[in-house]
mmCIF file with all atom_site columns, all heavy atoms in Angstrom:
data_model
loop_
_atom_site.group_PDB
_atom_site.id
_atom_site.type_symbol
_atom_site.label_atom_id
_atom_site.label_alt_id
_atom_site.label_comp_id
_atom_site.label_asym_id
_atom_site.label_entity_id
_atom_site.label_seq_id
_atom_site.pdbx_PDB_ins_code
_atom_site.Cartn_x
_atom_site.Cartn_y
_atom_site.Cartn_z
_atom_site.occupancy
_atom_site.B_iso_or_equiv
_atom_site.pdbx_formal_charge
_atom_site.auth_seq_id
_atom_site.auth_comp_id
_atom_site.auth_asym_id
_atom_site.auth_atom_id
_atom_site.pdbx_PDB_model_num
ATOM 1  N N   . ILE A 1 120 ? 15.332 22.907 21.568 1.00 0.00 ? 120 ILE A N   1
ATOM 2  C CA  . ILE A 1 120 ? 16.597 23.386 22.122 1.00 0.00 ? 120 ILE A CA  1
ATOM 3  C C   . ILE A 1 120 ? 16.988 22.637 23.385 1.00 0.00 ? 120 ILE A C   1
ATOM 4  O O   . ILE A 1 120 ? 18.175 22.593 23.722 1.00 0.00 ? 120 ILE A O   1
ATOM 5  C CB  . ILE A 1 120 ? 16.614 24.900 22.355 1.00 0.00 ? 120 ILE A CB  1
ATOM 6  C CG1 . ILE A 1 120 ? 15.713 25.297 23.502 1.00 0.00 ? 120 ILE A CG1 1
ATOM 7  C CG2 . ILE A 1 120 ? 16.351 25.673 21.103 1.00 0.00 ? 120 ILE A CG2 1
ATOM 8  C CD1 . ILE A 1 120 ? 16.051 26.676 24.074 1.00 0.00 ? 120 ILE A CD1 1
ATOM 9  N N   . TRP A 1 133 ? 22.234 26.453 25.656 1.00 0.00 ? 133 TRP A N   1
ATOM 10 C CA  . TRP A 1 133 ? 23.048 27.392 24.891 1.00 0.00 ? 133 TRP A CA  1
ATOM 11 C C   . TRP A 1 133 ? 24.535 27.021 24.914 1.00 0.00 ? 133 TRP A C   1
ATOM 12 O O   . TRP A 1 133 ? 25.324 27.626 24.203 1.00 0.00 ? 133 TRP A O   1
ATOM 13 C CB  . TRP A 1 133 ? 22.807 28.799 25.372 1.00 0.00 ? 133 TRP A CB  1
ATOM 14 C CG  . TRP A 1 133 ? 21.392 29.165 25.208 1.00 0.00 ? 133 TRP A CG  1
ATOM 15 C CD1 . TRP A 1 133 ? 20.457 29.390 26.183 1.00 0.00 ? 133 TRP A CD1 1
ATOM 16 C CD2 . TRP A 1 133 ? 20.674 29.305 23.966 1.00 0.00 ? 133 TRP A CD2 1
ATOM 17 N NE1 . TRP A 1 133 ? 19.212 29.654 25.638 1.00 0.00 ? 133 TRP A NE1 1
ATOM 18 C CE2 . TRP A 1 133 ? 19.326 29.597 24.277 1.00 0.00 ? 133 TRP A CE2 1
ATOM 19 C CE3 . TRP A 1 133 ? 21.024 29.207 22.624 1.00 0.00 ? 133 TRP A CE3 1
ATOM 20 C CZ2 . TRP A 1 133 ? 18.353 29.814 23.290 1.00 0.00 ? 133 TRP A CZ2 1
ATOM 21 C CZ3 . TRP A 1 133 ? 20.069 29.388 21.657 1.00 0.00 ? 133 TRP A CZ3 1
ATOM 22 C CH2 . TRP A 1 133 ? 18.739 29.696 21.993 1.00 0.00 ? 133 TRP A CH2 1
ATOM 23 N N   . GLY A 1 139 ? 20.258 26.545 17.181 1.00 0.00 ? 139 GLY A N   1
ATOM 24 C CA  . GLY A 1 139 ? 19.916 27.942 17.010 1.00 0.00 ? 139 GLY A CA  1
ATOM 25 C C   . GLY A 1 139 ? 18.424 28.108 17.194 1.00 0.00 ? 139 GLY A C   1
ATOM 26 O O   . GLY A 1 139 ? 17.642 27.250 16.820 1.00 0.00 ? 139 GLY A O   1
ATOM 27 N N   . ALA A 1 140 ? 18.056 29.176 17.859 1.00 0.00 ? 140 ALA A N   1
ATOM 28 C CA  . ALA A 1 140 ? 16.637 29.410 18.127 1.00 0.00 ? 140 ALA A CA  1
ATOM 29 C C   . ALA A 1 140 ? 16.309 30.897 18.117 1.00 0.00 ? 140 ALA A C   1
ATOM 30 O O   . ALA A 1 140 ? 15.964 31.457 19.143 1.00 0.00 ? 140 ALA A O   1
ATOM 31 C CB  . ALA A 1 140 ? 16.245 28.775 19.458 1.00 0.00 ? 140 ALA A CB  1
ATOM 32 N N   . PRO A 1 141 ? 16.404 31.537 16.970 1.00 0.00 ? 141 PRO A N   1
ATOM 33 C CA  . PRO A 1 141 ? 16.101 32.969 16.919 1.00 0.00 ? 141 PRO A CA  1
ATOM 34 C C   . PRO A 1 141 ? 14.677 33.264 17.390 1.00 0.00 ? 141 PRO A C   1
ATOM 35 O O   . PRO A 1 141 ? 14.414 34.329 17.943 1.00 0.00 ? 141 PRO A O   1
ATOM 36 C CB  . PRO A 1 141 ? 16.273 33.346 15.468 1.00 0.00 ? 141 PRO A CB  1
ATOM 37 C CG  . PRO A 1 141 ? 16.755 32.145 14.762 1.00 0.00 ? 141 PRO A CG  1
ATOM 38 C CD  . PRO A 1 141 ? 16.836 30.996 15.719 1.00 0.00 ? 141 PRO A CD  1
ATOM 39 N N   . ILE A 1 142 ? 13.773 32.306 17.221 1.00 0.00 ? 142 ILE A N   1
ATOM 40 C CA  . ILE A 1 142 ? 12.369 32.520 17.642 1.00 0.00 ? 142 ILE A CA  1
ATOM 41 C C   . ILE A 1 142 ? 12.260 32.709 19.159 1.00 0.00 ? 142 ILE A C   1
ATOM 42 O O   . ILE A 1 142 ? 11.349 33.350 19.640 1.00 0.00 ? 142 ILE A O   1
ATOM 43 C CB  . ILE A 1 142 ? 11.498 31.342 17.165 1.00 0.00 ? 142 ILE A CB  1
ATOM 44 C CG1 . ILE A 1 142 ? 10.054 31.741 17.283 1.00 0.00 ? 142 ILE A CG1 1
ATOM 45 C CG2 . ILE A 1 142 ? 11.790 30.079 17.930 1.00 0.00 ? 142 ILE A CG2 1
ATOM 46 C CD1 . ILE A 1 142 ? 9.095  30.814 16.566 1.00 0.00 ? 142 ILE A CD1 1
ATOM 47 N N   . LEU A 1 143 ? 13.224 32.161 19.901 1.00 0.00 ? 143 LEU A N   1
ATOM 48 C CA  . LEU A 1 143 ? 13.213 32.287 21.361 1.00 0.00 ? 143 LEU A CA  1
ATOM 49 C C   . LEU A 1 143 ? 14.117 33.411 21.823 1.00 0.00 ? 143 LEU A C   1
ATOM 50 O O   . LEU A 1 143 ? 14.382 33.528 23.021 1.00 0.00 ? 143 LEU A O   1
ATOM 51 C CB  . LEU A 1 143 ? 13.646 30.979 22.017 1.00 0.00 ? 143 LEU A CB  1
ATOM 52 C CG  . LEU A 1 143 ? 12.703 29.783 21.782 1.00 0.00 ? 143 LEU A CG  1
ATOM 53 C CD1 . LEU A 1 143 ? 13.264 28.533 22.412 1.00 0.00 ? 143 LEU A CD1 1
ATOM 54 C CD2 . LEU A 1 143 ? 11.313 30.075 22.287 1.00 0.00 ? 143 LEU A CD2 1
ATOM 55 N N   . GLY A 1 144 ? 14.646 34.185 20.909 1.00 0.00 ? 144 GLY A N   1
ATOM 56 C CA  . GLY A 1 144 ? 15.552 35.248 21.301 1.00 0.00 ? 144 GLY A CA  1
ATOM 57 C C   . GLY A 1 144 ? 16.846 34.688 21.824 1.00 0.00 ? 144 GLY A C   1
ATOM 58 O O   . GLY A 1 144 ? 17.343 35.121 22.864 1.00 0.00 ? 144 GLY A O   1
ATOM 59 N N   . GLY A 1 145 ? 17.391 33.721 21.121 1.00 0.00 ? 145 GLY A N   1
ATOM 60 C CA  . GLY A 1 145 ? 18.623 33.043 21.528 1.00 0.00 ? 145 GLY A CA  1
ATOM 61 C C   . GLY A 1 145 ? 19.717 34.008 21.905 1.00 0.00 ? 145 GLY A C   1
ATOM 62 O O   . GLY A 1 145 ? 19.753 35.150 21.442 1.00 0.00 ? 145 GLY A O   1
#
Side-chain angles (χ1 to χ4, degrees):
I120 70 161
W133 299 112
I142 195 167
L143 296 177

